[in-house]
Amino acid sequence: MKTFQDYLDTINQAIAAIPYPDAPRQLYAPIEYHMALGGKRVRPVLTLMACDAFGGDSSLALNAALGIEMFHNFTLLHDDVMDNADVRRGKTTVHRRWNDNTAILSGDTMLTIATQYIVRCANWPVMDLFNKTAIEIYEGQQWDMDYENRSDVTVDEYVNMIRLKTSVLLGCALKTGALIAGADDQQADLLYQAGVNMGLAFQLRDDVLDVWGDPVTFGKEIGGDIMNNKKTFLLINAMQLAQGDDADELRHWLNDPYATRDNKVAGVTALYERLGVRQLAEDAIAHYNDLAIAAFNQANIPDEAKNAFIGLANRLSGRTF
Amino acid sequence: MKTFQDYLDTINQAIAAIPYPDAPRQLYAPIEYHMALGGKRVRPVLTLMACDAFGGDSSLALNAALGIEMFHNFTLLHDDVMDNADVRRGKTTVHRRWNDNTAILSGDTMLTIATQYIVRCANWPVMDLFNKTAIEIYEGQQWDMDYENRSDVTVDEYVNMIRLKTSVLLGCALKTGALIAGADDQQADLLYQAGVNMGLAFQLRDDVLDVWGDPVTFGKEIGGDIMNNKKTFLLINAMQLAQGDDADELRHWLNDPYATRDNKVAGVTALYERLGVRQLAEDAIAHYNDLAIAAFNQANIPDEAKNAFIGLANRLSGRTF
């Protein structure tokens, strides 16, 4: 049976072999640059795994896997413009290395290239799922931006936002592989549900790692969300739970423009621990991971495929990277 | 037989009836706003006309027509960010009325909505043509931006750029209608060629109107291209033809940051007339319009359809609006 690394090698080789036109160079060079930055490649691997799990020929799912990974990278190019981000995967972002216009236009091009890969599967339900998922991801990004200007975001709203912005693409990746293998709708939907719950656990782990992660393995500076007052699962829960002095202290950290990074990150982290929101996040991660595992277990796929999916879900939800 | 106005009414009613989701409002309101700004709606009308011309049921082509118009409007949203444009069709542009991030994300959403409309035609060749055309349009936009920084752009390069940026979508609109009506590849390609040549004449007319148009009927301030030193068909030819004093004067207008608008526009316009580039442009417009008419005449469609297309080509290439 193929390992995660086998699938990853297949994906990375296929990405390296994408034949970009020679010109206009300013349009295609940023796409090649960004696709070569790497990343976990979780989504395309899930597509190949799901296709194999239902007895399909995963080489047929390779176009869909590439389309989904290209789509994901398109969203990163545009998100980095919208967030004015300098660094992605330890390298300079496209809009910073070139400029905003390049990131916009090369991103548009990636979206259409992604669609072309999906078209090659010649499967209308896969095409419909891809477009529906894309719309949900834009909606998630819009909610994320809307929430920056609101102080009353609820946990349910936040979870729905990360479901749209992050999780549905994992569901889409799994369901796409299942559909290409010829799985029926009910079976494909089980994998979709598994993917969405995996995605929720994955994103909540991201929130936790931003506070308690090891910068070496996580690959990012710790405390970025805290410094940006980003309304994560942790901050939203903390804002609801903090009373009296704790509430005053939290308000102070959120509003003091002169707080040093070290002081603010240490202060908010201590508050999070005192208020128990770290444990709330761990409980939520375990909850969504359990739902993902239950869905994989219900699917009509061989035990070794179930075990591979469950191993991956456990690894991603408990990850330190 | 239906008139242009009949088709236009059908398109405008269908656009007004597009069912946008209620939320997130910040994502969909800019799309509704921009789609309601109007415009000539030439592309979707061409799709319906082509479908009828080949004996198809143009109501079946309506989804494709909406997809192509939505796609065209998506490119305008992103172009207006890239060009930092304030006004579009006499109204404030989306990126100015909201902000750049809104124009980027709502534009992305429009591209996927456009693709969803194309998917509804359930026709793989139409889907392939749409994606191929989209890529060509991005390439055209990239060349257009590249040419801003080059002083040695040739007429051929310019014509190829406007072919990609503007003309192929008119070809795509016509061919799509033909394909949906069941026309064979050769017939559909004749309409594609007609559309591309129509588009070249259309864009060259735009260059001419920017200098010699009537601001009331054209709907834009005259001389915008001159003020921006935009390398249009006129300027590229003028740069090649100007000798001696004319060359010195042209260099002066291109490089004097203190020239007033009135003086610069009047000076460059006079040079264009003296150098004969206005006539060169009129000749080129007539040439591409003739090619369009010849392609329509070759197509195996009823005479009244040919006449309607030729009438439209003549109207667009000779337009004052």
Side-chain angles (χ1 to χ4, degrees):
Chain A
M1 183 172 170
K2 289 181 210 156
T3 64
F4 187 91
Q5 189 62 46
D6 294 331
Y7 289 114
L8 186 60
D9 291 345
T10 301
I11 294 294
N12 280 331
Q13 283 161 21
I15 287 173
I18 292 174
Y20 300 101
D22 289 332
R25 197 65 202 135
Q26 282 288 105
L27 188 67
Y28 292 109
I31 302 176
E32 280 194 73
Y33 169 80
H34 198 266
M35 291 301 290
L37 288 184
K40 299 180 194 71
R41 313 285 195 205
V42 170
R43 297 159 192 81
V45 167
L46 288 175
T47 301
L48 300 186
M49 285 176 73
C51 183
D52 275 343
F54 282 103
D57 174 355
S58 70
S59 67
L60 294 177
L62 188 57
N63 281 320
L66 288 175
I68 288 168
E69 184 66 7
M70 181 70 74
F71 174 85
H72 173 57
N73 280 271
F74 139 69
T75 66
L76 300 181
L77 242 73
H78 281 193
D79 281 4
D80 285 342
V81 176
M82 292 185 247
D83 299 343
N84 201 18
D86 298 328
V87 177
R88 164 77 60 189
R89 294 170 181 156
K91 297 276 177 64
T92 309
T93 50
V94 165
H95 86 105
R96 191 69 74 214
R97 181 168 165 152
W98 283 270
N99 53 57
D100 282 6
N101 288 357
T102 295
I104 293 170
L105 191 62
S106 293
D108 293 344
T109 306
M110 292 168 85
L111 173 50
T112 294
I113 293 175
T115 307
Q116 288 180 313
Y117 276 112
I118 301 298
V119 165
R120 286 193 209 162
C121 305
N123 185 317
W124 290 116
V126 166
M127 186 85 243
D128 283 335
L129 173 64
F130 175 76
N131 286 324
K132 168 179 156 283
T133 303
I135 296 282
E136 289 176 330
I137 290 165
Y138 309 139
E139 292 182 350
Q141 170 69 2
Q142 183 65 54
W143 289 126
D144 198 13
M145 295 196 297
D146 285 355
Y147 293 172
E148 284 175 22
N149 305 311
R150 278 181 47 196
S151 55
D152 60 346
V153 179
T154 66
V155 173
D156 282 355
E157 285 178 316
Y158 177 75
V159 170
N160 189 49
M161 182 276 282
I162 62 172
R163 182 182 69 78
L164 292 168
K165 186 169 169 171
T166 304
S167 306
V168 294
L169 191 56
L170 276 76
C172 169
L174 281 166
K175 183 170 176 176
T176 294
L179 289 173
I180 289 173
D184 66 28
D185 279 355
Q186 200 200 354
Q187 289 296 313
D189 280 336
L190 274 173
L191 256 63
Y192 183 82
Q193 289 311 323
V196 169
N197 285 302
M198 246 176 102
L200 291 171
F202 180 90
Q203 183 57 48
L204 292 172
R205 174 59 62 202
D206 221 60
D207 289 1
V208 169
L209 288 172
D210 190 82
V211 179
W212 293 282
D214 177 339
V216 176
T217 53
F218 190 43
K220 289 192 235 180
E221 206 175 5
I222 298 305
D225 290 345
I226 290 175
M227 289 312 292
N228 294 322
N229 291 349
K230 185 151 174 65
K231 291 182 194 80
T232 65
F233 184 87
L234 301 163
L235 179 55
I236 293 168
N237 273 291
M239 286 165 76
Q240 290 187 354
L241 291 170
Q243 304 285 337
D245 289 350
D246 287 340
D248 290 343
E249 189 185 341
L250 185 56
R251 249 191 309 275
H252 159 73
W253 291 122
L254 291 174
N255 295 306
D256 181 1
Y258 303 108
T260 65
R261 183 179 182 103
D262 283 356
N263 284 344
K264 180 168 175 174
V265 171
V268 174
T269 302
L271 255 176
Y272 283 170
E273 286 177 350
R274 199 152 70 235
L275 293 167
V277 299
R278 180 178 188 171
Q279 191 56 47
L280 283 179
E282 292 291 349
D283 292 348
I285 291 168
H287 169 70
Y288 292 118
N289 194 44
D290 287 348
L291 290 176
I293 290 170
F296 284 127
N297 271 323
Q298 277 186 68
N300 189 16
I301 54 177
D303 281 349
E304 63 173 10
K306 284 184 191 180
N307 291 337
F309 281 129
I310 292 167
L312 182 57
N314 285 332
R315 188 163 151 249
L316 290 174
S317 67
R319 77 189 197 281
T320 56
F321 52 91
Chain B
M1 183 169 171
K2 288 181 212 156
T3 64
F4 187 91
Q5 189 61 47
D6 294 332
Y7 289 115
L8 186 61
D9 290 345
T10 301
I11 294 295
N12 281 330
Q13 283 160 21
I15 287 172
I18 293 174
Y20 300 102
D22 290 332
R25 195 69 200 133
Q26 281 290 105
L27 188 67
Y28 292 109
I31 302 176
E32 280 194 74
Y33 169 80
H34 197 267
M35 291 301 289
L37 288 185
K40 300 181 194 69
R41 311 288 195 205
V42 170
R43 297 158 192 82
V45 167
L46 288 176
T47 301
L48 300 186
M49 285 175 73
C51 183
D52 275 344
F54 282 103
D57 175 354
S58 70
S59 67
L60 293 177
L62 188 56
N63 280 320
L66 288 175
I68 288 168
E69 184 66 8
M70 180 70 75
F71 175 84
H72 173 59
N73 280 270
F74 137 70
T75 65
L76 300 181
L77 242 75
H78 282 192
D79 281 3
D80 285 342
V81 176
M82 292 187 248
D83 299 342
N84 201 19
D86 297 329
V87 176
R88 166 75 62 188
R89 295 169 181 155
K91 297 275 177 63
T92 310
T93 50
V94 165
H95 87 104
R96 191 69 74 216
R97 180 166 165 155
W98 284 270
N99 53 56
D100 282 6
N101 287 357
T102 295
I104 294 170
L105 192 61
S106 294
D108 293 344
T109 307
M110 292 167 85
L111 173 50
T112 294
I113 293 175
T115 308
Q116 289 180 313
Y117 276 112
I118 302 298
V119 165
R120 285 191 211 163
C121 306
N123 184 317
W124 289 115
V126 166
M127 187 85 243
D128 282 336
L129 173 65
F130 175 77
N131 286 324
K132 168 179 156 284
T133 304
I135 296 282
E136 289 176 330
I137 290 166
Y138 309 140
E139 291 182 350
Q141 170 69 4
Q142 183 64 53
W143 289 126
D144 198 14
M145 295 195 298
D146 286 355
Y147 292 171
E148 285 174 23
N149 305 312
R150 278 181 48 196
S151 55
D152 59 347
V153 179
T154 66
V155 173
D156 282 354
E157 285 179 316
Y158 177 75
V159 170
N160 189 48
M161 183 275 283
I162 63 172
R163 183 181 69 77
L164 293 168
K165 185 168 169 171
T166 303
S167 307
V168 294
L169 191 55
L170 275 77
C172 169
L174 282 165
K175 183 170 176 176
T176 295
L179 289 173
I180 289 173
D184 67 29
D185 279 355
Q186 199 200 355
Q187 288 295 313
D189 281 335
L190 274 173
L191 257 63
Y192 182 83
Q193 289 310 325
V196 169
N197 284 303
M198 246 176 102
L200 291 171
F202 180 90
Q203 183 57 46
L204 292 173
R205 174 59 61 202
D206 221 59
D207 289 1
V208 170
L209 288 172
D210 190 81
V211 179
W212 293 282
D214 176 340
V216 175
T217 51
F218 190 42
K220 288 192 235 180
E221 206 175 4
I222 298 306
D225 290 346
I226 291 175
M227 289 312 293
N228 294 320
N229 291 350
K230 184 152 175 65
K231 292 183 194 77
T232 65
F233 184 87
L234 301 164
L235 180 54
I236 293 168
N237 274 292
M239 287 165 74
Q240 290 188 354
L241 292 170
Q243 304 285 337
D245 289 350
D246 287 340
D248 290 343
E249 188 184 341
L250 186 56
R251 250 191 309 275
H252 159 74
W253 291 123
L254 291 175
N255 294 306
D256 180 1
Y258 302 109
T260 65
R261 184 178 182 103
D262 284 355
N263 285 345
K264 179 166 175 175
V265 171
V268 174
T269 301
L271 256 175
Y272 283 171
E273 287 177 349
R274 199 152 70 234
L275 293 167
V277 299
R278 180 177 187 173
Q279 191 56 48
L280 282 180
E282 292 292 349
D283 292 347
I285 291 168
H287 169 70
Y288 292 118
N289 194 44
D290 287 348
L291 289 177
I293 290 170
F296 283 128
N297 271 323
Q298 277 185 68
N300 188 16
I301 55 177
D303 281 348
E304 64 173 8
K306 285 183 191 180
N307 291 337
F309 281 128
I310 292 167
L312 183 57
N314 285 332
R315 188 162 151 250
L316 290 174
S317 67
R319 77 190 197 281
T320 57
F321 52 92

